[in-house]
Amino acid sequence: MIYRKIENNKEQLLKQCLQYYCGDISKMQISRAIQEKDVKVNGKRVKTNVTIYEKDIVEAYFNEAKQNIYDVVYQDDNILVVNKKKGIETVSFDETKQTLQTVVQKDFPTAKAVHRLDTNTLGLVAFALNSTAESELLDAFKNGNVVKKYFAVVSSHDVKNEETFTDYFTKTDNATVKFSANDTDGIQASLSYKLIKRAGDLAQIEVDLHTGKTHQIRAQLAFHKIFILGDGKYGDKNLNRKYKKSVQSLASVYLRFENLATLKYLQSLPFDIRKLETLL
């Protein structure tokens, strides 16, 4: 059994608490643990999704058959690259929360993520294994010295064989971003895509991300009426309902570093899982 003990930090439903703090445990396992009375709140077993409060102590026991969180794609003394699965945040400011980084650190104690993927975006995440690598890789992402490619399943109506978008974005108060064609509205962001295949009202595209802004692929494509399947924040609700998708069909499938110094050897080692990830 997997045991977790949590001090809850706010009023919320029990499932919300467990999903927040137990990122490596599936929603199905959480529901089953509650139904089978394997969860205690302040020492008392519960069997329903009760409301819990700040400083309540939650103890939970989960079946060992937990979901696979990541697969190792590449490892040496400086860098670890993993294929992240959906449903877990890369890192968090909340040190008590289960994240991809905390899971990876159980096997690689010195690992530090040098970039992030959204919780429900799967694919390649790079970790530095020492301070020198961390500094150089963080600079590479900050300065645009990383080639990043993604696969996405999108609504096919407005998809061309290939296209490049350069727009301007600002963050809003409700944790979303807004794009505009006006160069006085925010920060410039650019991406391009090419069509891989079509299947009815869906298409799979390969996105080349030229800048790395918050939610950029999801929000910028939506600005141009190309909606990622399953995206509840920026997507097409009717399309998501039709295909019964509630998380975005988006994967980071290619990373290649450029203009490195100490880690220059990585420039000849592109990390590529495009043959492994077929979303459509």
Side-chain angles (χ1 to χ4, degrees):
M1 298 289 284
I2 302 167
Y3 173 71
R4 295 288 162 75
K5 185 175 182 179
I6 300 160
E7 181 177 337
N8 185 46
N9 66 349
K10 63 180 180 179
E11 181 179 340
Q12 61 184 327
L13 291 173
L14 178 60
K15 281 186 181 179
Q16 292 176 315
C17 171
L18 290 171
Q19 288 168 9
Y20 180 84
Y21 285 106
C22 304
D24 61 332
I25 306 297
S26 70
K27 292 181 180 179
M28 182 178 295
Q29 288 173 280
I30 289 171
S31 295
R32 184 178 296 120
I34 294 172
Q35 291 168 4
E36 296 179 357
K37 300 182 182 180
D38 287 332
V39 179
K40 295 179 182 179
V41 177
N42 297 326
K44 296 182 178 180
R45 292 185 183 275
V46 297
K47 63 176 181 179
T48 58
N49 188 26
V50 297
T51 299
I52 58 176
Y53 302 92
E54 186 177 359
K55 296 192 180 301
D56 279 351
I57 302 299
V58 178
E59 297 175 272
Y61 298 84
F62 302 103
N63 192 298
E64 283 284 357
K66 64 177 181 178
Q67 60 185 1
N68 182 30
I69 298 301
Y70 72 92
D71 297 315
V72 174
V73 174
Y74 177 84
Q75 176 197 355
D76 63 25
D77 291 340
N78 297 307
I79 187 173
L80 171 73
V81 180
V82 306
N83 184 5
K84 168 189 171 301
K85 307 306 180 183
K86 290 182 180 179
I88 188 166
E89 194 173 356
T90 307
V91 296
S92 174
F93 292 114
D94 184 347
E95 295 181 355
T96 65
K97 185 178 181 181
Q98 195 83 358
T99 64
L100 176 66
Q101 180 165 281
T102 63
V103 173
V104 167
Q105 285 176 341
K106 293 176 183 178
D107 297 319
F108 304 92
T110 62
K112 298 285 186 65
V114 292
H115 64 121
R116 301 185 184 194
L117 294 183
D118 291 341
T119 299
N120 287 316
T121 298
L122 58 85
L124 296 173
V125 179
F127 289 81
L129 297 180
N130 56 61
S131 59
T132 299
E134 182 181 10
S135 177
E136 187 160 4
L137 295 177
L138 284 172
D139 284 345
F141 279 97
K142 179 181 179 180
N143 297 324
N145 289 326
V146 187
V147 178
K148 296 169 283 188
K149 299 180 186 292
Y150 293 73
F151 279 169
V153 176
V154 299
S155 53
S156 66
H157 179 73
D158 291 298
V159 171
K160 299 178 174 58
N161 286 337
E162 58 182 43
E163 204 163 10
T164 297
F165 299 134
T166 299
D167 305 293
Y168 301 85
F169 92 105
T170 54
K171 292 184 179 180
T172 68
D173 293 335
N174 61 347
T176 62
V177 297
K178 180 180 179 181
F179 273 86
S180 168
N182 192 333
D183 62 6
T184 63
D185 294 338
I187 302 171
Q188 187 179 92
S190 177
L191 61 77
S192 58
Y193 75 82
K194 64 179 181 181
L195 175 67
I196 297 175
K197 61 180 176 180
R198 295 182 190 270
D201 55 357
L202 298 177
Q204 180 167 318
I205 61 174
E206 181 178 294
V207 179
D208 194 340
L209 189 60
H210 306 309
T211 52
K213 307 303 181 184
T214 303
H215 296 176
Q216 182 183 340
I217 296 175
R218 298 160 60 193
Q220 191 168 15
L221 288 177
F223 176 64
H224 292 277
K225 307 301 181 185
I226 300 173
F227 301 103
I228 295 179
L229 179 64
D231 189 345
K233 182 168 286 191
Y234 304 101
D236 183 328
K237 293 181 180 178
N238 291 329
L239 190 72
N240 296 344
R241 191 178 300 115
K242 176 180 178 180
Y243 288 97
K244 299 180 180 179
K245 295 291 186 180
S246 59
V247 295
Q248 63 264 18
S249 297
L250 182 64
S252 169
V253 293
Y254 183 94
L255 291 175
R256 180 170 59 80
F257 292 95
E258 299 177 332
N259 300 319
L260 298 178
T262 305
L263 305 180
K264 189 174 182 178
Y265 70 94
L266 291 176
Q267 295 175 187
S268 62
L269 290 173
F271 307 110
D272 188 350
I273 58 170
R274 285 177 289 187
K275 292 183 178 179
L276 301 179
E277 297 293 349
T278 302
L279 299 182
L280 181 61

